[in-house]
Amino acid sequence: MRQNYLLILLEKTSFIVVLFLLISKLKIFKNIFEKDKYTQKDLFVISIIFTVLSIMGTYNGIVYKGSILNTRIITIVSGGILFGPFVSIPTGIISGVHRLLMYPGSMTSIPCFISSIFAGIFSGLFYKKIRPNYKVFYGILVGIISENITIILIYLLCTPKELALDIIHTIYLPLVVGQFGIGFMVSIVNTIEKDKKDIEARKKAEMSALQRQINPHFIFNALNTIASFIRFDPKKARDLIISLSTYLRHNLELNDNLINIKKEIEQVKSYVDIEQARFGNTLKVIYDIDETNIKSPSLIIQPLVENAILHGILPMDNKNYGIVKVSVKNLDSKVKISVEDNGIGINQNVIDNIYSGNMPENKIGLYNVHLRLKLYYGKGLEITKLNKGTLIEFYIWG
């Protein structure tokens, strides 16, 4: 008969594990589990998940002479090992109180109530002390210890002793073996975290590749411009050399870390100084920059300004000023960045190709910025063809 209880409890443990697996696949919960640090709101949501699973474990348990073989401790300990005391302690208290009130006259109600709280506290204490590679082992160990506390309390608090010993003799092995379910639940979250790290590694590789593709194409033209100024305006030539060196320094310092937006604007201005020296009065650039210390991906604005100048302003067949406006505006919780020009206007096919990812290899500047923004923030460029010119906008936040 005890063997039947073991098989039944393993079946119920499998049910809880599979249910947790399905929950972890839901986008709202997967996004939480993937985080490196959890907010109070995250921990509150996770606590609800594990509390519900613990209560379900009690409802789904097997009644034997006033005791209930269940999976409650499995979920309490899993919550503590994975997410810490702010999850396991509320889960242990609430599910323990539920067990106490569910069968208040049951001889094992008080031992199960006490051991549930113990499991919540004990597993939570191990949260920051366990290396990720050992969480499965320690989770199972803490679960076994917690169930042994249950058994000891049943023996000490329950009468008659013959019935207490009969219950212990029947439920001990199923309860201990069932704790391997903790290993499966921990492994599910570990797999999510590993997948996240793999995705981050791929993103990092993509970032590096995209940044290498966004190399300046105007260096030779800049050098020719500087050479021409050396003859009749040496001071201007010196200023342009400083602008070029600033521009190149920013490019050489490219990495996957976010940089202060002020450095990004400095990079834009260095580029614009050289282009204005080349094209003279045909190009005017206006800056509308709010004071902000927000960080942004490197080399994210300059390619947009370059695109506005080369593909918007220069092809114009008139003698009017070409105007490019660079704007950085503080909003409530994010910063809006825009580059607007009064040039010939972007072709709708180009916009469609950027959004669909179907860009020719020789026209990847805008697409690379669009893709990098999507990798960082989940949303890329917003491109609008105006009556006269093009408006490109995007948002960043800390």
Side-chain angles (χ1 to χ4, degrees):
M1 185 65 181
R2 288 194 296 273
Q3 185 178 4
N4 290 338
Y5 282 126
L6 174 61
L7 293 176
I8 294 171
L9 188 62
L10 288 176
E11 179 183 324
K12 294 182 181 298
T13 300
S14 300
F15 170 76
I16 290 294
V17 171
V18 171
L19 184 59
F20 179 67
L21 177 61
L22 294 175
I23 291 173
S24 70
K25 296 296 183 181
L26 297 175
K27 187 175 181 180
I28 183 174
F29 299 124
K30 187 176 181 181
N31 289 341
I32 294 176
F33 294 157
E34 286 180 344
K35 292 183 178 180
D36 295 323
K37 293 183 179 180
Y38 305 107
T39 64
Q40 290 184 345
K41 181 180 178 181
D42 294 333
L43 293 174
F44 178 73
V45 172
I46 295 170
S47 294
I48 291 175
I49 295 172
F50 280 89
T51 299
V52 170
L53 290 176
S54 296
I55 291 174
M56 285 183 62
T58 301
Y59 272 123
N60 198 35
I62 311 160
V63 178
Y64 178 77
K65 296 184 179 180
S67 66
I68 304 175
L69 282 80
N70 61 81
T71 58
R72 183 178 59 257
I73 295 295
I74 295 174
T75 49
I76 295 172
V77 172
S78 296
I81 293 294
L82 288 168
F83 303 104
F86 291 103
V87 170
S88 61
I89 292 177
T91 301
I93 292 174
I94 295 172
S95 62
V97 169
H98 170 264
R99 170 65 179 88
L100 184 64
L101 297 178
M102 184 176 175
Y103 295 106
S106 167
M107 64 183 297
T108 60
S109 293
I110 293 178
C112 290
F113 166 69
I114 295 173
S115 64
S116 295
I117 296 175
F118 171 84
I121 297 172
F122 191 47
S123 61
L125 292 176
F126 279 86
Y127 172 58
K128 291 187 177 180
K129 299 179 181 179
I130 303 174
R131 295 179 182 178
N133 294 340
Y134 294 99
K135 281 187 176 181
V136 170
F137 172 77
Y138 279 101
I140 295 172
L141 179 62
V142 170
I144 291 174
I145 292 173
S146 298
E147 288 294 15
N148 274 277
I149 294 296
T150 305
I151 296 301
I152 291 171
L153 290 172
I154 290 174
Y155 179 76
L156 293 176
L157 301 178
C158 295
T159 55
K161 290 300 179 187
E162 293 80 6
L163 179 57
L165 288 172
D166 180 35
I167 291 172
I168 291 170
H169 191 60
T170 302
I171 70 174
Y172 181 73
L173 182 62
L175 289 179
V176 170
V177 174
Q179 299 312 301
F180 283 91
I182 296 172
F184 289 108
M185 294 182 74
V186 172
S187 296
I188 289 169
V189 176
N190 284 346
T191 300
I192 293 173
E193 292 176 348
K194 182 178 180 300
D195 290 343
K196 176 198 170 188
K197 291 178 181 178
D198 291 342
I199 291 171
E200 287 178 345
R202 288 196 297 271
K203 282 186 177 181
K204 187 174 181 179
E206 290 174 0
M207 292 290 184
S208 298
L210 291 173
Q211 286 177 324
R212 284 194 296 269
Q213 289 175 335
I214 308 177
N215 289 322
H217 301 292
F218 76 113
I219 294 178
F220 291 111
N221 289 329
L223 292 173
N224 287 332
T225 302
I226 293 170
S228 66
F229 273 98
I230 289 174
R231 298 177 185 175
F232 59 87
D233 193 347
K235 183 180 182 303
K236 181 66 174 178
R238 287 195 298 270
D239 292 339
L240 291 175
I241 289 173
I242 292 173
S243 294
L244 180 60
S245 65
T246 300
Y247 180 87
L248 293 175
R249 185 180 73 250
H250 282 299
N251 278 269
L252 291 173
E253 291 174 352
L254 280 179
N255 53 53
D256 296 322
N257 298 323
L258 300 178
I259 65 170
N260 191 292
I261 193 70
K262 293 177 181 178
K263 292 189 70 174
E264 183 69 9
I265 295 300
E266 185 182 36
Q267 167 79 334
V268 171
K269 290 181 177 179
S270 298
Y271 169 80
V272 168
D273 287 344
I274 296 169
E275 292 297 73
Q276 285 181 321
R278 286 180 61 200
F279 303 117
N281 294 332
T282 61
L283 175 62
K284 182 179 180 180
V285 178
I286 300 172
Y287 299 97
D288 182 15
I289 312 296
D290 285 354
E291 182 63 29
T292 178
N293 288 315
I294 196 167
K295 293 186 176 182
S296 74
S298 58
L299 200 59
I300 208 79
I301 304 176
Q302 182 272 328
L304 305 182
V305 176
E306 180 177 354
N307 181 81
I309 294 172
L310 298 183
H311 302 292
I313 303 301
L314 295 185
M316 288 194 302
D317 188 20
N318 57 56
K319 296 181 180 180
N320 294 328
Y321 277 115
I323 299 175
V324 177
K325 181 178 180 181
V326 180
S327 175
V328 177
K329 307 303 293 181
N330 274 321
L331 304 180
D332 290 338
S333 58
K334 54 190 174 182
V335 171
K336 178 182 178 181
I337 298 173
S338 63
V339 176
E340 181 180 354
D341 67 76
N342 66 341
I344 62 172
I346 192 170
N347 190 296
Q348 185 61 44
N349 288 335
V350 175
I351 299 176
D352 295 339
N353 287 336
I354 288 172
Y355 290 155
S356 65
N358 186 30
M359 288 298 294
E361 290 187 1
N362 61 339
K363 294 184 179 180
I364 59 173
L366 285 182
Y367 176 65
N368 281 342
V369 175
H370 176 68
L371 184 54
R372 290 178 64 210
L373 287 169
K374 288 185 68 176
L375 290 173
Y376 272 109
Y377 303 106
K379 185 177 182 181
L381 298 172
E382 297 178 7
I383 307 173
T384 306
K385 183 175 182 178
L386 307 174
N387 291 332
K388 187 176 183 181
T390 303
L391 173 64
I392 300 177
E393 301 172 304
F394 63 92
Y395 297 85
I396 61 175
W397 49 89

